[in-house]
Amino acid sequence: MVPRPSHAEETIKPPPRCKQWLISLIAAYPLITLTLTMYVVMPVATRLFRRCLFRPTA
């Protein structure tokens, strides 16, 4: 019987860089999307719908 190495002797091999990059991208996607929505899409949409959004109340 071959003895198994203890936890101190086991080495953990890190995942490939491409997988790390992909997970980082997936994690950052909501933040990027929210930022683009708030600073690019919403100002344009507000300008386009200005008449509908800010009707005079008289």
Side-chain angles (χ1 to χ4, degrees), residues 41-55:
V41 176
M42 285 304 291
V44 172
T46 303
R47 271 186 247 121
L48 286 173
F49 295 103
R50 180 181 316 152
R51 289 184 184 157
C52 177
L53 292 171
F54 302 108
R55 284 190 178 158

Side-chain angles (χ1 to χ4, degrees), residues 33-49:
T33 304
L34 179 65
T35 303
L36 283 175
T37 301
M38 294 305 294
Y39 292 104
V40 176
V41 176
M42 285 304 291
V44 172
T46 303
R47 271 186 247 121
L48 286 173
F49 295 103

